[in-house]
Amino acid sequence: MSTATTPGLGADHLAHVAESATPTVHRGGEERHGIRRGLGILVRIVLCLVFGLPLVFMFVSSFKPDLQIFSDLGNIKAFLPVGDISLDNYSGVFGRVPFAQFMMNSVIITVVTVVLGIVVNSMAAFALARIGFKGGGIVLGIILATLIVPFETLALPLLWWSNKLPFLGPEGFTEGWLDTYQVQIIPFIANAFSIFLFYQYFDSIPKELDEAAKVDGAGWFRIYRSIVMPLSGPAVATVAILTFLPMWNQYLWPLMAVQSEELRPVMVGIDYFKQLNTSWGQIMAYASIITAPVLVLFIAFQRAFINSIASSGVKG
């Protein structure tokens, strides 16, 4: 009788042990998940402070006079809108520089460069990725090799060549592109990194679509315009954003190639506040104004930006 009941008691005992052990394992997993989540939140907070506090300091300082900016540097007041707060710095910005002209110049230069850059770089990448001509790999390698050359090493030769190019302007045929819009746009249309991004994305699109289009009588340009580009929205968004940011922040090249005030972009306008008496409050106000459009655009399209980067074939 006891022999018959022992297995049953053993099975009940094992079931009880298993039931009592399962919550412990589950609690351990929850604890580890909670720790990882807490560390993740802590890292995000630290990153927000590292990248956000300089922007907060810039914006808050734009409302303070210079003396208060320096007196608040040693404490938390530097990040708080306290003390002598006013809009005098902003009114001083518009009185000291032709801000509307600078802003319009930057918008024109940036938008034209982004649009032409998407067209030119995508067509170059399409030829390399889809047409597959002989020596295409060598051409792509040469294009990518230009990424290791810093712009500062090319600035002076580029300036010399730009001054030798023919130009048909309002005064007739002249020599030299200096002090024009095109000298700020054309040298930056073709971009090796943009070509590489488009190449990666185009190469991932099935080439069977090209064959099907050829059967219907489509040529290469029709395939590019009607098939490949409509499927490349994430790559287009990535290239547009990564072209917009450096063009909006362009400083060295306009400073070298542009002398007329009516053609200068917004970044060069900061130099106006360093002449004679430096006004740090006005510099902060000016920087806040020209930074606001970039922040608004990024906040509005941050999800599209992250998705475009994730799906554009950029791999570490």
Side-chain angles (χ1 to χ4, degrees):
M1 187 72 180
S2 60
T3 305
T5 57
T6 301
L9 292 175
D12 293 341
H13 179 69
L14 291 175
H16 177 70
V17 171
E19 290 176 358
S20 61
T22 300
T24 304
V25 175
H26 184 63
R27 285 195 300 270
E30 287 184 345
E31 290 177 357
R32 288 192 295 271
H33 178 71
I35 293 174
R36 287 196 297 268
R37 184 177 180 183
L39 290 175
I41 294 174
L42 180 61
V43 170
R44 292 187 183 94
I45 293 174
V46 172
L47 291 176
C48 287
L49 292 176
V50 170
F51 292 102
L53 285 180
L55 295 176
V56 174
F57 172 77
M58 176 185 69
F59 182 71
V60 170
S61 298
S62 67
F63 297 99
K64 299 178 180 180
D66 290 353
L67 292 177
Q68 185 172 347
I69 292 175
F70 288 106
S71 64
D72 291 345
L73 285 179
N75 52 63
I76 194 63
K77 292 181 180 179
F79 303 99
L80 298 177
V82 295
D84 188 8
I85 302 298
S86 68
L87 296 175
D88 292 343
N89 291 326
Y90 287 91
S91 60
V93 165
F94 290 94
R96 193 163 181 174
V97 300
F99 177 77
Q101 183 67 48
F102 290 166
M103 179 65 76
M104 185 184 70
N105 293 338
S106 286
V107 170
I108 292 174
I109 294 168
T110 303
V111 171
V112 173
T113 305
V114 169
V115 173
L116 294 180
I118 290 173
V119 174
V120 171
N121 295 315
S122 63
M123 293 181 71
F126 178 83
L128 294 170
R130 311 296 290 189
I131 298 178
F133 58 90
K134 186 177 181 180
I138 297 176
V139 173
L140 179 62
I142 294 173
I143 291 174
L144 294 179
T146 61
L147 291 173
I148 66 175
V149 182
F151 175 75
E152 289 75 12
T153 63
L154 303 175
L156 289 179
L158 185 61
L159 187 69
W160 187 86
W161 280 109
S162 298
N163 196 36
K164 296 297 181 181
L165 292 172
F167 173 58
L168 182 60
E171 299 179 356
F173 184 82
T174 59
E175 184 183 79
W177 281 14
L178 299 184
D179 217 19
T180 59
Y181 277 123
Q182 59 263 33
V183 78
Q184 304 180 70
I185 296 174
I186 293 178
F188 305 99
I189 292 175
N191 184 275
F193 189 63
S194 298
I195 294 174
F196 178 63
L197 287 177
F198 275 124
Y199 176 86
Q200 279 194 311
Y201 199 90
F202 290 169
D203 195 50
S204 66
I205 299 175
K207 291 183 172 60
E208 288 78 6
L209 297 175
D210 298 356
E211 301 299 329
K214 289 179 183 178
V215 172
D216 293 336
W220 283 118
F221 184 74
R222 181 67 181 274
I223 294 172
Y224 161 81
R225 179 173 59 87
S226 302
I227 297 177
V228 174
M229 287 302 289
L231 295 175
S232 305
V236 171
T238 304
V239 170
I241 294 171
L242 297 181
T243 304
F244 172 85
L245 293 177
M247 289 305 301
W248 185 264
N249 295 325
Q250 193 76 264
Y251 174 77
L252 176 62
W253 181 248
L255 194 64
M256 297 172 59
V258 178
Q259 298 298 324
S260 299
E261 188 176 80
E262 61 269 15
L263 295 174
R264 288 174 175 169
V266 290
M267 287 299 168
V268 179
I270 294 180
D271 287 342
Y272 283 66
F273 301 96
K274 301 176 183 177
Q275 300 171 1
L276 300 177
N277 297 324
T278 302
S279 176
W280 292 105
Q282 291 182 3
I283 290 177
M284 295 298 176
Y286 187 86
S288 298
I289 296 174
I290 64 178
T291 303
V294 179
L295 290 178
V296 170
L297 286 175
F298 182 77
I299 293 173
F301 299 103
Q302 60 178 327
R303 186 176 298 276
F305 174 71
I306 295 171
N307 291 339
S308 65
I309 290 292
S311 59
S312 61
V314 182
K315 298 178 181 179

